[in-house]
Amino acid sequence: MDSPPEVTFAPLLFGGIAFMLLAAGALVLFLVVYQKRLLQQQLRLRAAEATHQQALLAAIVEAQELERERIGRDLHDGIGSTIATAKLLVHRLEGPQPLDDRADLLGLVKEIMGTAVQDVRTVSHSLYPVVLARFGLAEALQHLVDVSNEAGTLAVELEVEYPRPLALAQELALYRICQELMHNAFKHAVGATRLGVQLRQRGTLLTLAVDDDGCGFAQPAPGPPALAGAGVGLRSIDVRVQLLRARLHRASGPGQGTHTRVELPSAFVV
């Protein structure tokens, strides 16, 4: 006598249920392992980001301390010695003996004090550019170029196309980058006859470019700039570029000048 159909179907049903339970268990196990690996990857990324942020912070602190050291040296060696010289001349003018060159000494004192006033303005402007806070980046760059042309032997040319101003913090970072690039050109661009500065805002891109026709230098190995391996000035530029989330391009070669471009994408343009 044949067995009822439901009795024959029972093993198939139990087998299907067991297979579904095994599949569900395998899926749960896969999800648990996947979530664990994803969490580990996120932790590694956070650790790498934290290490990078610490390197940036250390570079910023170092650059600030060295900038303070430079300003202190300028105050002591430049303004301090100038005022000390003026003080000696004033004491000489106050002496009891008559002086035939009193008028000449007085004129020299006035000239020295005028130089000291100009040096104070230069140092105060390097600490914080008041023109930037009052009138914006374009006027601050124009003032920086004018002062450089008055004080230096290298002619600086400025081109500005800047219709939509950025936030003050972004403008200050771009100003410091330009200031450092110009300082590097004055110091290292041997044989240069001109220095070009361009600030252009076209479409979705803002570009700051500083170019000279000096001696140039050999290009380093390709790859991202190492904060610990570059000079203080270059590290400060790299730090500010990263804080702006901008792109930095450098091109140079012996006898080919130095060309530096900072590109700020539209996502961070106000």
Side-chain angles (χ1 to χ4, degrees):
M1 185 176 182
D2 296 336
S3 59
E6 59 271 12
V7 176
T8 304
F9 181 73
L12 297 176
L13 178 62
F14 291 143
I17 293 174
F19 175 78
M20 293 178 62
L21 290 175
L22 288 174
L27 179 61
V28 170
L29 180 62
F30 171 78
L31 291 177
V32 170
V33 173
Y34 176 78
Q35 289 291 340
K36 184 177 180 180
R37 290 182 178 178
L38 183 62
L39 179 60
Q40 291 176 347
Q41 183 179 7
Q42 290 177 347
L43 291 175
R44 287 195 296 267
L45 289 175
R46 290 178 182 176
E49 183 179 357
T51 302
H52 180 66
Q53 292 296 330
Q54 289 178 355
L56 286 179
L57 180 60
I60 291 174
V61 171
E62 181 184 5
Q64 288 176 341
E65 291 300 323
L66 290 174
E67 180 68 12
R68 292 189 181 100
E69 179 182 350
R70 184 187 66 81
I71 292 173
R73 187 167 55 250
D74 290 343
L75 289 173
H76 180 272
D77 298 339
I79 300 174
S81 61
T82 300
I83 295 177
T85 302
K87 182 179 179 181
L88 290 175
L89 293 175
V90 169
H91 286 170
R92 184 177 175 186
L93 288 171
E94 291 177 343
Q97 66 277 15
L99 295 176
D100 298 333
D101 57 349
R102 183 178 297 273
D104 293 337
L105 287 176
L106 185 59
L108 184 58
V109 170
K110 291 180 179 179
E111 181 180 351
I112 291 175
M113 295 307 297
T115 301
V117 170
Q118 183 62 38
D119 290 343
V120 169
R121 289 176 179 174
T122 301
V123 173
S124 64
H125 185 76
S126 66
L127 285 171
Y128 188 78
V130 179
V131 177
L132 176 67
R134 292 182 179 178
F135 304 107
L137 179 59
E139 290 296 329
L141 291 180
Q142 185 64 62
H143 179 71
L144 178 63
V145 168
D146 292 341
V147 172
S148 299
N149 283 331
E150 291 178 2
T153 58
L154 181 60
V156 185
E157 301 174 359
L158 175 65
E159 296 181 16
V160 175
E161 186 178 343
Y162 185 58
R164 301 187 307 278
L166 305 182
L168 179 59
Q170 292 173 306
E171 289 194 338
L172 181 58
L174 288 170
Y175 177 86
R176 293 302 189 194
I177 291 172
C178 183
Q179 189 179 37
E180 189 61 43
L181 289 173
M182 290 176 60
H183 174 74
N184 288 344
F186 293 143
K187 186 176 181 180
H188 300 294
V190 179
T193 59
R194 61 169 295 276
L195 177 64
V197 178
Q198 293 181 343
L199 178 68
R200 289 181 177 175
Q201 192 179 51
R202 293 182 177 177
T204 61
L205 188 67
L206 183 141
T207 303
L208 172 67
V210 179
D211 306 304
D212 68 71
D213 58 352
C215 60
F217 57 89
Q219 283 285 78
L227 291 176
V232 175
L234 294 180
R235 289 206 302 275
S236 67
I237 292 173
D238 292 333
V239 167
R240 289 187 170 97
V241 167
Q242 293 183 49
L243 292 177
L244 284 171
R245 301 184 186 180
R247 296 184 294 268
L248 176 65
H249 305 275
R250 291 192 185 101
S252 184
Q256 300 178 7
T258 303
H259 312 277
T260 307
R261 187 170 72 256
V262 177
E263 295 179 347
L264 185 63
S266 60
F268 300 96
V269 175
V270 177

